[in-house]
Amino acid sequence: MRQSKAAPDPKAESRWVRVCALVGAVAMVLAVLIGTGAGGHGTTRAVVVSSVLTGAVIAAATCLWRARGFAGRARWGWSTVGVGVLSWGLGQFGFLASVDMPANFGVLGIGLIAIGLLTLPSANQPLANRIRSVLDGLLIAASMVLVGWVFAIGPLTGDHTVGADFYGALVFPIGGIVLATMAVYMLPQQRRNHGCGTHMAFLSAAMLAFTVAGSGYAYLRVTQELSAGRPLDIGWIVGYALIIMGASRPRERSGPLVPLSASVGNGVVMLPYLAVLAALGATVLFHVQSGGSHPFVAFTRSFLILLIVGRQLLTQLENQGLTRTLEARVADRTAELYAREQQFHALVQHSSDVVTVVSPEADVIYQSESVHQVFGYPARFLTGRRLTQHLDAESAHRLAKSLRQVTGRPYATTVLELTVRHRDGRDRQAEMTITNLLDDPHVKGLVLNTRDISERMELQEQLVYEAYHDSLTQLANRALFRDRTATAVERGTEATVLHLDLDGFKRVNDSLGHLAGDQLLVQVADRIRSCVRDDDMVARFGADEFGVLLEQDGATEVAGRILEDLEAPVRLGDREIHVRASIGLAGAHLLDEGLPADVAGGDSPGERAEQLMRNADLAMHHAKAAGGGVFASYQSRMRDGLIERLELESDLRSALERGELRLHYQPTVDLATHEVVGFEALVRWPHPQRGMINPLDFIPIAEATGLIVPLGRWVLHEACRQAVEWSGAAGGRPLKMAVNVSVRQFDQPDFAETVAAVLAETGMPADRLCLEMTESVLMTDTEANLEQLVRLKALGLTLAIDDFGTGYSSLAYLRRFPVDTLKIDRSFVERLGVLEDDTALTDTIVRLGKSLGMATVAEGIEEFGQLAALREMGCGFAQGYYFSRPVPASEAGRLFLEGAEEPVETPA
């Protein structure tokens, strides 16, 4: 329901209530004086005359005062009503006081009030509605006059003809009825446009009061008892009091508009007809009783007939206008619906989704034409057939089951993936959304929206494979190896892990180059595979490290066989290279050796697998320390090396407290402009005794001990502070600062608040901060992580997936999470131009980022060929030694101000 545009003023409402109370009290006192005749007839007559004049003047002034609050039609309407009330009052005063004053003042007042009421409605109200209100008022007034004549006036006059004075006296009651009817008809319009309509209700009641008084005087004129000072005069006073109350009512309404009931509206419409029926009944009774007619009755009845004819003509004209309007609206609506239907038809037919409507039994009711371009079938080929007949047995069973699930639930939706055979015979993977619209009268079926997701599934499978396999050797990577080891430990098999590291591999890379090193690793991987059984797993952990998982006895024999096989030289082109390896062995049966009985076996399979792999790593380092080219089995005494780790942890805690850590910055270069647009902040630890400690040695310790949380906050604060300082030195030039976030930090419930506090403390603009996280963040506790990402994104910063492609992140997660940037792992970049599959995969990741609206940053660029390939793919940004190594803050500031060194392209 429509509300008023302005809230009512409580003070104005209170003032109006006081005015009503005052006016009502005065009217009541005057009514008592007139009704009791106190002071004699002369006094009563003087009270009536003065009260009528005073009331008319005050009522007119109140109407004019109300007109000041409006503009346009409303102002002119209320002004005219005010002048009409004053004119009517002067006419009454002249009559009651027997003053020599033109009698037509009262008639003029009736006309002015009628004009004012016709002016008040809004401009969009048809003229026919206004004329109808006048005709209906005349119908009601004439009918009531006729009824009054039959039952009251006629018996007094008999067959005598009434004079002109009597007809003149009828002008006032008839005018009052007409005006009251007009006010009642205007009430709904005024309620909609100018408040609750109370003022119009008061005006209508005032006209009725005038009607009662005027009717009484018309009757007295017939009886020749006409004089002022009678109780009948109370009607004039009450009328003016009601006008004052209505005109002083504030415009704003005090609450929601309460609609009038349908019965009230119908009663108002039928009121003129009921009055005419009453008049006709009265004339019939008059003829029956008198046996003849009377000129007044005949004249009035004829007048009623003319009014009815006029009203019907008006109704006919209005109906014709309404018919034309409705026809035009129907034509416009039909055209609009047709246009929408054509638009919908075009969208459905040319959509990449296939729209199918089926019955609960899977019979095709409707099939969109898009099925031809997606699955090769013409729409008419499937229409009328059972859809499950064109699917394999498993997919048909799953589809039928899903249809049954949603059939009993109106508007229910379910999603499933199934295999659909293309018309050319190829199997395509499809995602189907089923919606139950059986209860929709326009559909009456189950709607299937099907899309071909084969390419997405192939890419996802490729990413899954790459996430768990080494791109160079096609062996399993560390993640897959750990999962298989955890499974073996959980099953309780006699699993043994071999950790193999090549001796002197760095010299091969340094002397012959990385390509030769890669070729060597491939051949070493082939030799290791040839030394184990098909059921055993071989993995490359990274660089020159390999792992072997054996679930049967004979681990020492396998290690010896691998070392013996590696003794043979490896041929790289025209060179022969001799390579050796150090191997560490660790059996699952030794995991609990040296531990208390209440602690042994207490960890999860994943943690025990990690421990087993660490034990093999410790054993490998012992074999390497023994000179290499041998294998060593893990012994519990090797755990003594953990003491060094504990010392490193203690030193790290102290270094964090004393502020000994430093940040180095590696620039990010815009491949389109060659400008340094940002940096990645990397923490470094210059140990007082041990020198610069590799982050790979102390970051895992910080992760395990929880020190990563305060360390991460310090890195974030220092990086933001430095970025603001550099940007200020460069005249406000924007700088993007990337900071790595660990899973441990991300799991902190107040992490978003911590980031917001750092931004506030340093003055760093949120849009210049990028938080980088690994793919594992997307895969663990996804709902909580999504909530955390949304909170971070709300701060205005950007989010990046670091080392993309080395983990397993579903495309669905990438679309769901608010990620802005994909950072392509260096393992893909270093193989660009060497292996075609790796180049294609990198290109796929770049295109994937573009399709998802994400920026792409390539890591680890070391050669011009890699840079050229990435530019051709459309990669946006890059990092790597080709531009700059991570450098201290002073050197990084110079790079930002001067830009990275322009790569020099060698002419072809």
Side-chain angles (χ1 to χ4, degrees):
M1 188 57 59
R2 209 180 96 170
Q3 301 290 330
S4 61
K5 296 181 179 179
D9 184 0
K11 293 183 179 179
E13 291 284 330
S14 178
R15 271 198 308 271
W16 179 69
V17 172
R18 291 197 296 270
V19 168
C20 290
L22 176 61
V23 173
V26 172
M28 186 175 296
V29 170
L30 293 175
V32 171
L33 291 176
I34 296 171
T36 59
H41 179 73
T43 303
T44 303
R45 184 173 182 275
V47 171
V48 170
V49 171
S50 60
S51 299
V52 167
L53 180 60
T54 305
V57 172
I58 297 175
T62 308
C63 292
L64 294 174
W65 172 82
R66 183 176 185 84
R68 294 176 63 252
F70 293 92
R73 299 173 60 88
R75 170 173 288 188
W76 283 107
W78 276 107
S79 298
T80 307
V81 169
V83 175
V85 168
L86 180 60
S87 179
W88 195 340
L90 292 175
Q92 291 173 342
F93 171 75
F95 167 74
L96 296 174
S98 299
V99 177
D100 187 11
M101 186 175 290
N104 56 6
F105 263 128
V107 178
L108 177 62
I110 294 174
L112 290 174
I113 295 175
I115 294 173
L117 291 178
L118 291 175
T119 307
L120 278 176
S122 61
N124 59 2
Q125 185 179 17
L127 178 62
N129 287 354
R130 307 182 197 184
I131 298 176
R132 183 189 295 109
S133 65
V134 176
L135 293 178
D136 286 350
L138 290 173
L139 281 171
I140 296 173
S143 299
M144 293 181 66
V145 168
L146 187 55
V147 171
W149 172 270
V150 171
F151 291 103
I153 306 299
L156 295 177
T157 60
D159 295 332
H160 299 287
T161 303
V162 294
D165 291 342
F166 173 73
Y167 288 106
L170 289 179
V171 172
F172 294 97
I174 291 176
I177 294 175
V178 172
L179 295 177
T181 304
M182 293 173 63
V184 169
Y185 274 47
M186 288 174 53
L187 185 58
Q189 186 75 11
Q190 293 295 304
R191 282 162 54 83
R192 285 192 296 270
N193 295 340
H194 303 293
C196 62
T198 308
H199 57 285
M200 199 56 61
F202 273 101
L203 190 59
S204 178
M207 295 301 107
L208 291 177
F210 287 166
T211 300
V212 171
S215 300
Y217 270 101
Y219 178 81
L220 293 176
R221 187 181 292 272
V222 175
T223 60
Q224 303 297 322
E225 298 178 7
L226 191 63
S227 66
R230 297 174 178 274
L232 191 64
D233 296 319
I234 298 175
W236 308 115
I237 298 172
V238 171
Y240 288 120
L242 290 172
I243 293 176
I244 294 171
M245 293 179 185
S248 61
R249 176 74 164 85
R251 286 181 58 188
E252 297 82 7
R253 59 176 175 259
S254 59
L257 182 60
V258 179
L260 296 175
S261 65
S263 59
V264 174
N266 294 333
V268 172
V269 173
M270 294 301 298
L271 185 59
Y273 298 100
L274 295 176
V276 170
L277 289 176
L280 292 177
T283 58
V284 171
L285 181 62
F286 177 79
H287 285 294
V288 170
Q289 290 178 347
S290 64
S293 182
H294 191 279
F296 181 82
V297 174
F299 171 77
T300 308
R301 186 169 53 189
S302 300
F303 184 64
L304 284 175
I305 293 173
L306 288 175
L307 291 176
I308 292 173
V309 171
R311 195 180 191 283
Q312 290 303 114
L313 290 174
L314 185 65
T315 303
Q316 181 66 22
L317 292 175
E318 187 178 21
N319 288 340
Q320 290 178 356
L322 287 175
T323 301
R324 288 193 296 270
T325 302
L326 286 176
E327 288 176 351
R329 292 179 62 185
V330 168
D332 293 342
R333 184 61 176 167
T334 302
E336 181 184 355
L337 290 176
Y338 178 76
R340 290 186 179 179
E341 180 182 355
Q342 292 300 108
Q343 180 185 23
F344 172 76
H345 185 267
L347 290 174
V348 170
Q349 298 303 333
H350 298 285
S351 172
S352 58
D353 287 1
V354 178
V355 180
T356 310
V357 180
V358 300
S359 67
E361 294 76 25
D363 294 326
V364 178
I365 302 172
Y366 167 81
Q367 178 62 66
S368 66
E369 295 291 341
S370 55
V371 70
H372 183 266
Q373 64 184 22
V374 178
F375 295 113
Y377 296 97
R380 62 180 181 277
F381 176 80
L382 296 175
T383 304
R385 300 192 178 189
R386 184 153 292 185
L387 189 59
T388 51
Q389 295 176 353
H390 301 281
L391 303 174
D392 61 75
E394 181 184 358
S395 297
H397 174 72
R398 293 175 58 206
L399 175 59
K401 180 180 179 182
S402 298
L403 292 177
R404 289 194 300 271
Q405 287 177 348
V406 301
T407 296
R409 295 179 294 139
Y411 302 100
T413 298
T414 186
V415 181
L416 72 154
E417 293 182 1
L418 43 76
T419 302
V420 177
R421 175 153 295 184
H422 196 278
R423 198 176 189 187
D424 61 9
R426 294 176 299 152
D427 285 340
R428 310 294 291 172
Q429 296 299 314
E431 180 183 78
M432 182 179 291
T433 301
I434 305 175
T435 305
N436 181 358
L437 295 182
L438 289 169
D439 291 346
D440 190 320
H442 304 290
V443 181
K444 296 182 180 179
L446 303 171
V447 180
L448 315 181
N449 288 281
T450 309
R451 63 177 56 184
D452 186 352
I453 59 170
S454 300
E455 293 184 1
R456 189 183 81 184
M457 295 297 294
E458 290 172 1
L459 176 59
Q460 189 163 315
E461 289 174 1
Q462 185 179 8
L463 289 175
V464 170
Y465 181 85
E466 293 294 336
Y468 285 102
H469 290 81
D470 175 57
S471 60
L472 176 64
T473 63
Q474 301 306 308
L475 297 176
N477 62 11
R478 179 183 289 272
L480 182 56
F481 188 87
R482 177 187 178 278
D483 290 346
R484 282 284 300 274
T485 304
T487 302
V489 171
E490 188 175 15
R491 289 202 307 261
T493 61
E494 294 297 325
T496 303
V497 172
L498 279 64
H499 192 126
L500 182 148
D501 183 86
L502 299 183
D503 299 329
F505 177 74
K506 186 176 184 302
R507 292 194 300 271
V508 176
N509 271 343
D510 293 341
S511 59
L512 302 180
H514 289 284
L515 180 58
D518 290 345
Q519 294 173 349
L520 173 62
L521 291 174
V522 171
Q523 294 197 38
V524 168
D526 292 338
R527 293 191 182 187
I528 296 175
R529 263 196 299 250
S530 66
C531 297
V532 300
R533 297 175 288 265
D534 292 338
D535 295 338
D536 300 327
M537 170 174 276
V538 181
R540 182 189 175 202
F541 291 161
D544 59 341
E545 295 185 57
F546 296 85
V548 179
L549 175 63
L550 307 174
E551 297 190 51
Q552 301 179 20
D553 295 335
T556 56
E557 290 80 358
V558 172
R561 194 158 55 244
I562 292 174
L563 293 176
E564 182 181 352
D565 201 49
L566 290 178
E567 288 292 332
V570 177
R571 177 167 292 279
L572 299 177
D574 56 352
R575 295 177 181 271
E576 286 189 352
I577 299 176
H578 293 271
V579 62
R580 297 194 312 164
S582 299
I583 302 177
L585 287 72
H589 63 285
L590 296 177
L591 278 174
D592 299 325
E593 183 176 332
L595 295 178
D598 58 343
V599 177
D603 294 332
S604 66
E607 293 172 335
R608 291 171 65 79
E610 286 283 359
Q611 184 61 52
L612 183 58
M613 294 169 64
R614 285 197 296 268
N615 291 347
D617 182 52
L618 285 173
M620 182 274 293
H621 281 92
H622 276 74
K624 191 176 285 291
V630 298
F631 65 85
S633 297
Y634 171 78
Q635 304 295 328
S636 58
R637 55 183 174 80
M638 295 179 181
R639 296 194 185 191
D640 296 340
L642 295 178
I643 297 177
E644 181 180 357
R645 180 182 181 280
L646 294 176
E647 293 176 350
L648 198 62
E649 176 188 338
S650 177
D651 291 346
L652 176 60
R653 197 179 299 273
S654 300
L656 188 59
E657 294 174 354
R658 294 194 294 264
E660 296 177 354
L661 298 175
R662 297 290 181 267
L663 287 185
H664 284 196
Y665 302 88
Q666 185 168 29
T668 301
V669 178
D670 188 332
L671 292 183
T673 63
H674 309 295
E675 291 183 347
V676 175
V677 294
F679 291 91
E680 180 179 1
L682 302 169
V683 65
R684 295 293 184 262
W685 182 12
H687 195 280
Q689 287 80 34
R690 304 185 186 188
M692 190 67 73
I693 298 180
N694 193 319
L696 296 178
D697 292 334
F698 70 86
I699 291 297
I701 295 176
E703 287 272 8
T705 60
L707 288 174
I708 194 67
V709 175
L711 173 60
R713 193 188 192 287
W714 175 81
V715 171
L716 182 62
H717 188 281
E718 178 64 17
C720 290
R721 184 200 63 78
Q722 188 67 74
V724 172
E725 180 181 322
W726 285 337
S727 181
R733 176 183 162 194
L735 179 148
K736 196 80 167 184
M737 181 62 71
V739 178
N740 292 286
V741 177
S742 71
V743 176
R744 192 81 174 258
Q745 288 177 269
F746 195 82
D747 289 340
Q748 298 296 311
D750 61 343
F751 181 59
E753 288 75 11
T754 299
V755 174
V758 169
L759 292 174
E761 293 168 4
T762 60
M764 177 73 167
D767 60 344
R768 299 183 187 176
L769 175 63
C770 177
L771 298 184
E772 298 183 1
M773 61 207 71
T774 60
E775 292 176 274
S776 59
V777 170
L778 304 182
M779 300 303 299
T780 57
D781 197 8
T782 55
E783 292 303 325
N785 289 347
L786 175 60
E787 184 180 351
Q788 185 77 284
L789 287 171
V790 170
R791 287 200 299 267
L792 290 171
K793 192 64 181 172
L795 298 177
L797 46 79
T798 57
L799 302 173
I801 299 297
D802 197 13
D803 302 332
F804 182 75
T806 59
Y808 169 43
S809 59
S810 167
L811 294 183
Y813 287 148
L814 287 181
R815 289 197 304 268
R816 185 181 179 194
F817 289 125
V819 177
D820 304 286
T821 304
L822 297 180
K823 299 194 71 173
I824 305 172
D825 186 65
R826 66 181 64 248
S827 62
F828 297 115
V829 175
E830 68 184 10
R831 304 299 304 160
L832 288 177
V834 178
L835 295 179
E836 183 177 350
D837 290 344
D838 289 338
T839 302
L841 182 58
T842 304
D843 183 58
T844 300
I845 295 176
V846 173
R847 286 189 289 110
L848 174 64
K850 290 181 179 179
S851 68
L852 296 177
M854 301 178 184
T856 51
V857 181
E859 300 179 296
I861 297 179
E862 298 184 1
E863 300 175 358
F864 175 75
Q866 299 167 350
L867 176 62
L870 288 166
R871 279 179 177 169
E872 184 176 353
M873 294 175 190
C875 183
F877 306 92
Q879 291 178 311
Y881 289 177
Y882 183 77
F883 302 105
S884 172
R885 293 175 177 270
V887 293
S890 58
E891 181 66 17
R894 185 190 65 79
L895 285 175
F896 176 63
L897 296 175
E898 300 178 4
E901 182 179 351
E902 283 287 330
V904 180
E905 299 188 15
T906 305

